[in-house]
Amino acid sequence: MIELHRVWKIYSVGPVKVPALSDVSFRVGKGEFVTLCGPSGAGKTTLLRLLYRDDVPTEGEVEVLHQDVGSLTRVEVAALRRSIGIVFQDSKLLPGRTVYENVAFVLRVLGTPRREITGRVFDALRAVGLSARAQAYPAQLSAGEAQRAALARAIARKPLLLIADEPTGNLDEGMAAEVIEIVRDIWAGGATVLFATHQATLAATLKQRTLTIHSGRLVKDEG
Amino acid sequence: MFGFLLGEALRDLRRAGRVAISAILLITLSLAALGAFWLLSSNMSEAVTQFRERVKLVVYLRREPGTAEASALVDRVRTMPGVGAVRYVGKAEALGTLRQVLGKDAAVADTLPQNPLPASLEITPTAEGATLEGARALVTRLTALPETDEIGGGVEWMERFAQGQRLLWLFALGVGAVLAVAAILTVTTATTLVLHARRDEMEIMRLVGAPEHVVRLPLLLQGMMQGLLGAMLAIWVLVACYALIGPRIEPLVSETLGVARLTFLRPHNVISLMLAGTLLGGVGGWLARGRPEA
Ligand SMILES: Nc1ncnc2c1ncn2[C@@H]1O[C@H](COP(=O)(O)OP(=O)(O)OP(=O)(O)O)[C@@H](O)[C@H]1O
Ligand SMILES: [Mg+2]
C-alpha cells in the first residue's frame, strides 16, 4: 500500500539546510492501521505530504497504491489523490461554506452524480456525529466539531487510504477518543489508515503498529 | 457538473465585486462603440445600395434619330455589358419634362425659338455597371458610339461616399480595439482578484484530485460571464440610443442620404456582439489563469 525507500527531505531556508526527513524507510500493507508518532517538528506532516505528492522527496523513492509517486504526471497525481482521503492538520475547511457544503464541494468537484450527493454527505456527517451541525459555518464550530467535519469530508468519498494528520490535535481526551473511534470504524470498513499524532499516550492506547519519528529519523517501528 | 461550475463562477463574480463591474462596463463601452459604428456603417451601405439602384447615365445624342433608327440604337446599347435598361427620350419628351419641372414658369419654354434640348438615352446600369470600374468602362464604351455627343451622370461621388464608409469602419475598429484591450486587462485584473479569493478552493480541489479543467473552468466561465453581461448591456444601450435618437435624426438622414428609415442591427450582428463580448471576457479570464496560485 505504502512503501518508502531511503527517503530524505531537506528544506533549504536561504543558505540553511533543514533535514525534515533523514533516510526514512518503511512499508504499510493493505488494511493496516498505522500510527505515526513524534513530537512537534519531528517531520510527520512532511512525511504525509510526500504520500499524496504535495511535495517530492529530495532523495529516495515513495510508492503509494503501487505507483511510484515521483514519476507521476499531473493527471496521474490527481487520480492518485482521488483514492486517498486526507484530514489536513489545518483542516482546510472553506470558511464561506457550511459543513454540508464543505463536504458536498469535494464530491461535486470529483464529479459525483448530483442525486447521490445529499445521501453521501449525510452518511459521512452521521458517521462523525455531525448531522445536526450541517448548516453551521466553520467559524461557528468548536475545535472538535471542526476536526470531525474535516474527517467527514475525507471519508465521504470512501477512500482506500485514509491519511489523518493530527485529527485529535487540540482536542480534550474525551473528544479525541470520539474521533479515534470514528477512524477505527473507517478502518474496520476496510480502509488502510495512517494516523499522525504527537501524543505518545494516545498512540499507546490505540494498540496498533506505531512508527515513531524523531528529528526526521524513524527511531521505532513496533506493535 | 456544468451547473456546479457555473455556480462556482457566479460566486467568484460576486467576490470580484467592483472590479468585475468596471470590467463589465468597459466591455459595454467597447462593444457599444463598435456596435454604434456598425449601425452607422450598415445604414450607409444601405444608402449606397439605394443610390446604386437609382443611378442613371444619360447619353446625349448629336442629333435626333428617326423612329426606326432610335429603336435600333436602343437595341444596340442594350446588349452592351453593364447596361440594365435603356430608354429613348426624344427632343419633344425632354421639353415636356422640362415644362413639368418649371411648373408655373413653363411659359418660359414657349418663348424659345426652337427646342434646345437634345435627344438622349437614359441608361440604368446593372449592379456591375454601377461600380466605379464598371461605370468607367461603360462610359468609355458609350463615348465610342458615333451617335454620342456627351455623357452625363456618374458614380464617382458615390464611390467616394463608400470610401468614407470604409474609413469610418477603420476608425471604428481602431477605437474598438483600444477599448477591447482595456476591457481584457480589466477582466484579467478582476479575475486575478477572484483567483486570490479562490485560492483556498483551488487548493482543496487540487489536493483531493480534481481534474485541472474543473479547477480552472470556473475562472474562465466568470470571465466569459463578465463579457456576456457587458455585451448584453451594450446591446441594450444601442437599442435605447436607436429608440431615442433614431426618430430625431431620421428626417435629416432621409434628406441627405435618401434612406427613409434607419435600420437597427440585424440578429446576426447582435449575436456577433454577444460572442465578441464572451470572447473578450474569456480571454481576460484565461490570461489571469496563468498567474501564480500560491
Ligand atoms: N516548507 C518548509 N520549509 C522549510 N522548513 C520546513 C517546511 N515545512 C516543514 N519544515 C520544517 O521541517 C521540520 C518538520 O516539520 P513538520 O511540519 O513535518 O513537523 P510535524 O511533525 O508535522 O510537527 P507538528 O506536530 O507540529 O505538526 C520542522 O523543523 C519544520 O520547521
Ligand atoms: Mg504536522
Side-chain angles (χ1 to χ4, degrees):
Chain A
M1 199 69 166
I2 299 173
E3 185 164 353
L4 268 72
H5 183 69
R6 314 208 67 155
V7 169
W8 291 76
K9 180 68 199 181
I10 296 164
Y11 288 114
S12 304
V13 185
V16 188
K17 300 232 184 291
V18 184
L21 292 175
S22 311
D23 199 17
V24 174
S25 303
F26 66 87
R27 299 180 59 150
V28 174
K30 189 170 185 302
E32 274 194 83
F33 187 119
V34 176
T35 310
L36 183 63
C37 189
S40 184
K44 303 181 295 295
T45 300
T46 304
L47 193 156
L48 297 181
R49 286 178 58 221
L50 298 181
L51 301 180
Y52 52 91
R53 230 288 206 142
D54 198 19
D55 210 336
V56 285
T58 313
E59 200 74 54
E61 281 102 58
V62 178
E63 208 185 289
V64 177
L65 294 163
H66 312 292
Q67 285 170 293
D68 174 14
V69 176
S71 65
L72 298 181
T73 63
R74 195 155 74 167
V75 173
E76 289 167 335
V77 168
L80 174 73
R81 288 174 178 177
R82 285 198 284 275
S83 10
I84 306 176
I86 311 167
V87 182
F88 304 96
Q89 188 167 8
D90 57 347
S91 92
K92 293 193 197 297
L93 291 172
L94 299 170
R97 305 181 196 235
T98 63
V99 168
Y100 175 89
E101 287 167 345
N102 263 283
V103 179
F105 180 77
V106 169
L107 292 174
R108 301 210 70 170
V109 153
L110 299 181
T112 311
R114 233 193 141 94
R115 64 200 136 72
E116 288 180 27
I117 287 179
T118 311
R120 290 180 64 172
V121 172
F122 275 103
D123 283 348
L125 290 180
R126 247 193 312 276
V128 301
L130 223 69
S131 321
R133 304 291 279 144
Q135 297 312 321
Y137 285 88
Q140 302 166 332
L141 299 176
S142 73
E145 286 172 332
Q147 300 278 27
R148 284 185 284 157
L151 191 56
R153 183 177 62 185
I155 63 174
R157 291 171 290 139
K158 304 200 179 3
L160 300 171
L161 172 62
L162 178 69
I163 293 176
D165 194 355
E166 309 224 25
T168 56
N170 34 31
L171 304 185
D172 65 35
E173 263 176 55
M175 272 205 214
E178 262 181 52
V179 169
I180 284 165
E181 269 324 297
I182 296 158
V183 175
R184 270 181 185 281
D185 285 347
I186 294 156
W187 172 57
T192 306
V193 175
L194 196 56
F195 185 104
T197 177
H198 65 269
Q199 298 159 291
T201 48
L202 188 81
T205 60
L206 278 168
K207 297 195 178 62
Q208 296 287 344
R209 177 180 170 197
T210 303
L211 298 173
T212 308
I213 59 173
H214 237 283
S215 310
R217 289 192 179 276
L218 187 60
V219 294
K220 237 193 297 183
D221 182 352
E222 58 184 13
Chain B
M1 188 54 146
F2 190 72
F4 167 68
L5 293 176
L6 213 61
E8 289 295 307
L10 269 173
R11 199 185 177 105
D12 288 345
L13 205 57
R14 275 204 305 275
R15 279 201 282 215
R18 250 184 306 185
V19 183
I21 289 172
S22 48
I24 291 170
L25 290 181
L26 261 175
I27 290 177
T28 304
L29 215 62
S30 64
L31 291 183
L34 210 67
F37 282 120
W38 207 345
L39 202 71
L40 222 64
S41 167
S42 74
N43 278 294
M44 281 171 84
S45 321
E46 184 61 24
V48 169
T49 319
Q50 286 195 16
F51 282 134
R52 281 219 173 107
E53 277 159 15
R54 256 184 267 153
V55 88
K56 282 200 176 92
L57 289 175
V58 183
V59 179
Y60 298 102
L61 303 177
R62 286 181 201 283
R63 55 174 194 83
E64 183 164 41
T67 324
E69 219 183 324
S71 70
L73 179 62
V74 166
D75 287 342
R76 198 141 39 90
V77 171
R78 192 175 282 136
T79 58
M80 285 182 173
V83 173
V86 185
R87 200 171 77 84
Y88 172 72
V89 179
K91 283 171 78 85
E93 191 187 340
L95 192 63
T97 310
L98 180 65
R99 264 185 229 268
Q100 265 176 25
V101 172
L102 291 175
K104 59 177 168 35
D105 299 324
V108 180
D110 296 329
T111 63
L112 297 167
Q114 61 176 76
N115 183 348
L117 299 174
S120 62
L121 295 177
E122 251 181 44
I123 295 170
T124 311
T126 57
E128 305 91 74
T131 63
L132 189 57
E133 292 80 51
R136 279 199 185 127
L138 190 56
V139 167
T140 313
R141 252 177 255 121
L142 291 171
T143 314
L145 286 174
E147 291 88 346
T148 302
D149 180 27
E150 206 185 345
I151 293 180
V155 289
E156 260 163 66
W157 63 271
M158 197 178 72
E159 289 304 326
R160 238 173 275 136
F161 187 74
Q163 232 157 26
Q165 184 199 3
R166 275 192 287 274
L167 216 69
L168 183 79
W169 246 123
L170 226 62
F171 180 68
L173 284 178
V175 171
V178 169
L179 286 171
V181 168
I184 288 176
L185 289 178
T186 317
V187 174
T188 307
T189 311
T191 308
T192 308
L193 279 190
V194 168
L195 207 64
H196 198 67
R198 198 179 166 69
R199 64 188 191 286
D200 289 346
E201 270 91 347
M202 290 178 70
E203 184 192 12
I204 203 79
M205 279 171 144
R206 290 204 169 95
L207 284 174
V208 300
E212 200 57 20
H213 71 266
V214 173
V215 178
R216 291 188 160 170
L217 215 53
L219 284 178
L220 186 67
L221 285 178
Q222 62 84 31
M224 288 166 75
M225 277 188 216
Q226 290 180 27
L228 189 61
L229 279 173
M232 292 194 320
L233 265 177
I235 288 162
W236 189 82
V237 166
L238 287 175
V239 170
C241 287
Y242 175 73
L244 282 176
I245 303 172
R248 264 160 234 205
I249 61 169
E250 225 156 54
L252 180 76
V253 170
S254 71
E255 228 167 81
T256 51
L257 298 184
V259 179
R261 284 196 50 79
L262 286 172
T263 51
F264 191 62
L265 296 175
R266 309 261 145 78
H268 73 263
N269 299 139
V270 171
I271 290 169
S272 303
L273 281 180
M274 303 237 263
L275 286 178
T278 312
L279 194 75
L280 281 184
V283 168
W286 187 256
L287 285 178
R289 175 207 75 109
R291 297 288 170 80
E293 286 135 15

